[in-house]
Amino acid sequence: MSSSHQQPAARPRESKDSFRTDSDIEIRPVYPQPEKENEPPGEFPFTRGIHPNMYRGKLWTMRQYAGFSTAEESNKRYHYLLSQGTTGLSVAFDLPTQIGYDSDHDFAEGEVGKVGVAIDTLKDMETLFDGINLEDISTSMTINATGFILLAFYIALAKKQGADLTRLSGTIQNDILKEYAARGTYIYPPKPSMQIITDVFEYCSREVPRWNTISISGYHIREAGATAVQELAFTLANGKAYLQAAIDKGLDIDVFGKRLSFFFNAHNNLFEEVAKFRAARRMWAKITQSMGAKEPRTQMLRFHTQTGGSTLTAQQPQNNISRVTLQALAAVLGGTQSLHTNGFDEALSLPTEEAARVALRTQQIIAAESGVADTVDPLEGSHFVESLTDEVEAKAWEYLEKIDLMGGAVQAIEEGYIQREIADAAYRYQQAIEANEKIIVGVNQYEVDEDMASEVFRVDDSIRQVQIQKIRQVKAERDAGKVKSLLDTIEHKAAANEQIMPTVIEAVENYATLGEISDCLRRVFGEFQS
């Protein structure tokens, strides 16, 4: 943005009547000492953290979200990140993979490999993790409508490696409710989607006990424009819906509930973000207890954090390094179990290798040099943070009570309530920026004339033809009759509301494609129309 562009003048701080968080919580000039009971970390309700020693015993898992183009290219980036000290992989999938289309489908044109890696068959998964022992690494996969298929690919690959499935660790996002509310990569209507998710809960509880079967995501709710309080409330409302669906299926909350995890966003208001994370643990402990959970591990809210993609600016992109540092610090002070830091160039393109390295180094510097990981819950007892935690929690409970009166998260989404609340918050935030009530450095204040032709990372459209050739080769070499029989069985079991995961795994082992399995369920369930 040119420095000659006229912006309305920002209101001087000294003339402000009040200061407020992004969730419209008033910030008082001074806070009294809070009246609170002693809550040791690692004990119910886990406000101060889920482990007694937190990072003194083990640091958070340092992940970098990566995936682009073909499995071969993404595999090179994974090996690079592992060589630089990342301690967990986080896989990004392209849009066709996310919504159940093979790369040769007409709808995939122009999108193959663009926002993540294209995975059509087990052959692609074999390439993606070539040279990586799945028993030795924790893998997070950001995938929802087709999450059960990608998990099947991963399990099938682990079996080919000779891995002990009980030692596999990682997460599939598998959170379809937030797709209807905020993101849009759904396929099937809500109720059959919940049926698939509970199949995954049931299967993994028995066969892959260390796998996190769902990562209930507030991240995308926040990216769509929600406030911190809304992110917290709507995420926990979705979590309650998943718990209830599994309980209704007859599953034991103290079995499947231990493998639920959460995925939160971290934005720039450092203290509000810390308060949000602390309140989330306390609220989830109370929710699970009220729904019958007796074991502490079921009552613990474990979460991954990603720094705020929507806060990154194309203007003066190096400023994003400071933003990401603040956000990562909030996540660590708030007690995250896993953290991804965004590249400074992600408002312009996929992250370059340099940007990914800087993002990883940001986490490593916080861990090794800042000292904030050396004590448990460093902000515990802060008059401000304790009070703000209480206020964030109280406002979040208000939302949860409204959603419960509607019949729960599924009903609230079907009625459009959650979507409207997010849209209204996003509108108010944009109004504040345009009125210069909210300052975004380099955007509406402190602009400079700059050359926007920064180095960007682009994916060539030609990789679609590479993927199409791979699919053709797989189909030519597989047993077509066996594949058809397995696809028919999946369709029959889905229609009868029977467990589908073992058959899906067998189908991918015989090189059925992601699109073929997705189409089986399209024929049974149809597609959701917003």
Side-chain angles (χ1 to χ4, degrees):
M1 185 181 291
S2 169
S3 59
S4 62
H5 184 80
Q6 296 299 308
Q7 293 282 353
R11 186 179 180 186
R13 285 179 69 86
E14 61 268 21
S15 69
K16 283 191 172 185
D17 299 321
S18 67
F19 292 82
R20 311 187 81 84
T21 71
D22 291 339
S23 296
D24 202 34
I25 296 171
E26 184 172 4
I27 304 301
R28 287 168 268 163
V30 177
Y31 285 79
Q33 184 172 347
E35 293 182 9
K36 59 188 292 292
E37 297 178 9
N38 180 42
E39 293 182 357
E43 296 183 17
F44 186 93
F46 309 104
T47 309
R48 300 184 61 193
I50 62 172
H51 302 300
N53 282 332
M54 286 303 290
Y55 306 132
R56 289 169 65 91
K58 181 184 178 183
L59 290 172
W60 62 93
T61 301
M62 299 183 191
R63 299 189 188 276
Q64 289 305 116
Y65 190 48
F68 56 90
S69 185
T70 62
E72 290 87 350
E73 291 301 313
S74 294
N75 177 260
K76 291 176 186 174
R77 177 64 66 87
Y78 295 157
H79 280 284
Y80 172 76
L81 290 170
L82 290 168
S83 75
Q84 295 300 306
T86 193
T87 54
L89 297 178
S90 187
V91 185
F93 298 95
D94 73 356
L95 193 57
T97 302
Q98 293 182 49
I99 56 177
Y101 293 117
D102 291 332
S103 297
D104 60 357
H105 195 285
D106 289 346
F107 290 172
E109 186 171 356
E111 294 293 343
V112 176
K114 290 296 180 68
V115 298
V117 62
I119 300 293
D120 297 308
T121 71
L122 177 57
K123 187 72 71 176
D124 290 322
M125 190 66 90
E126 291 166 1
T127 303
L128 185 67
F129 290 99
D130 184 41
I132 299 171
N133 188 330
L134 300 189
E135 281 192 12
D136 296 338
I137 193 75
S138 170
T139 303
S140 174
M141 295 188 280
T142 302
I143 196 75
N144 296 286
T146 55
F148 69 105
I149 305 173
L150 272 298
L151 177 59
F153 284 147
Y154 197 84
I155 290 171
L157 175 58
K159 289 167 71 175
K160 288 193 75 170
Q161 288 187 355
D164 178 355
L165 297 187
T166 65
R167 293 183 59 189
L168 286 187
S169 65
T171 306
I172 46 170
Q173 193 165 104
N174 203 30
D175 174 10
I176 202 64
L177 292 180
K178 65 91 176 50
E179 296 295 330
Y180 304 114
R183 189 163 176 264
T185 63
Y186 46 73
I187 303 175
Y188 318 111
K191 288 183 174 63
S193 293
M194 296 290 278
Q195 174 184 323
I196 297 168
I197 288 168
T198 55
D199 277 359
V200 172
F201 288 177
E202 183 180 50
Y203 175 82
C204 290
S205 293
R206 185 174 64 249
E207 304 292 340
V208 198
R210 291 182 60 191
W211 192 267
N212 295 323
T213 51
I214 192 168
S215 177
I216 304 161
S217 176
Y219 181 85
H220 305 95
I221 291 171
R222 190 68 173 281
E223 290 294 282
T227 66
V229 166
Q230 289 174 332
E231 175 193 359
L232 173 58
F234 299 156
T235 304
L236 296 187
N238 289 346
K240 287 181 67 176
Y242 292 124
L243 286 178
Q244 193 59 56
I247 290 168
D248 290 346
K249 191 168 183 171
L251 303 183
D252 183 345
I253 190 173
D254 278 320
V255 176
F256 77 85
K258 296 173 185 174
R259 303 318 308 176
L260 273 61
S261 65
F262 287 81
F263 174 22
F264 286 115
N265 211 316
H267 276 212
N268 292 329
N269 192 316
L270 187 143
F271 292 109
E272 183 175 46
E273 295 301 301
V274 173
K276 177 188 73 181
F277 297 135
R278 299 174 90 245
R281 279 192 295 270
R282 191 155 72 199
M283 292 176 73
W284 188 245
K286 295 173 184 177
I287 288 168
T288 51
Q289 185 184 63
S290 72
M291 296 181 74
K294 296 178 175 59
E295 296 192 24
R297 186 159 175 78
T298 311
Q299 299 164 350
M300 293 177 184
L301 183 145
R302 297 168 298 118
F303 68 101
H304 168 71
T305 310
Q306 182 173 338
T307 56
S310 61
T311 69
L312 302 178
T313 64
Q315 300 92 329
Q316 303 178 42
Q318 286 80 6
N319 292 347
N320 294 327
I321 298 173
S322 298
R323 293 186 177 101
V324 169
T325 302
L326 273 175
Q327 295 162 8
L329 185 61
V332 172
L333 290 171
T336 193
Q337 278 62 68
S338 170
L339 177 60
H340 161 74
T341 34
N342 290 324
F344 65 83
D345 55 0
E346 288 191 55
L348 300 166
S349 70
L350 291 168
T352 59
E353 194 169 273
E354 177 195 13
R357 184 179 65 250
V358 170
L360 176 60
R361 293 289 183 260
T362 300
Q363 294 197 51
Q364 292 165 335
I365 289 168
I366 290 173
E369 299 183 27
S370 73
V372 298
D374 295 347
T375 190
V376 178
D377 193 18
L379 297 179
E380 189 272 337
S382 158
H383 299 181
F384 177 34
V385 171
E386 296 292 354
S387 178
L388 192 54
T389 299
D390 292 343
E391 290 187 76
V392 167
E393 180 183 5
K395 285 183 174 288
W397 280 123
E398 289 176 11
Y399 270 115
L400 281 167
E401 288 164 7
K402 288 180 185 177
I403 292 168
D404 284 344
L405 288 173
M406 293 178 190
V410 175
Q411 188 69 27
I413 288 166
E414 289 179 340
E415 294 181 11
Y417 169 73
I418 291 176
Q419 297 93 311
R420 288 192 300 274
E421 287 293 310
I422 295 170
D424 288 348
Y427 180 68
R428 290 192 298 270
Y429 186 80
Q430 187 60 33
Q431 280 186 312
I433 293 173
E434 292 179 7
N436 254 30
E437 295 169 5
K438 177 74 177 176
I439 302 303
I440 308 297
V441 173
V443 175
N444 62 355
Q445 290 288 301
Y446 314 114
E447 308 101 307
V448 297
D449 288 317
E450 58 184 328
D451 179 8
M452 298 296 286
S454 304
E455 180 189 357
V456 293
F457 182 17
R458 303 291 187 202
V459 174
D460 195 285
D461 284 334
S462 66
I463 69 108
R464 181 172 184 241
Q465 292 306 313
V466 174
Q467 285 300 115
I468 289 173
Q469 286 302 119
K470 288 180 183 178
I471 293 171
R472 288 174 179 168
Q473 183 176 350
V474 165
K475 288 183 175 180
E477 294 174 353
R478 72 188 186 180
D479 183 337
K482 177 73 169 174
V483 170
K484 183 181 185 307
S485 174
L486 288 164
L487 293 173
D488 288 344
T489 302
I490 292 170
E491 196 168 331
H492 169 77
K493 288 189 172 183
N497 195 13
E498 296 177 9
Q499 169 63 254
I500 64 171
M501 278 304 294
T503 312
V504 172
I505 293 169
E506 188 178 357
V508 303
E509 288 176 322
N510 284 274
Y511 293 91
T513 72
L514 174 135
E516 289 171 332
I517 296 170
S518 298
D519 285 345
C520 283
L521 301 189
R522 283 186 174 96
R523 288 190 289 272
V524 176
F525 301 138
E527 294 188 344
F528 179 70
Q529 301 298 320
S530 176

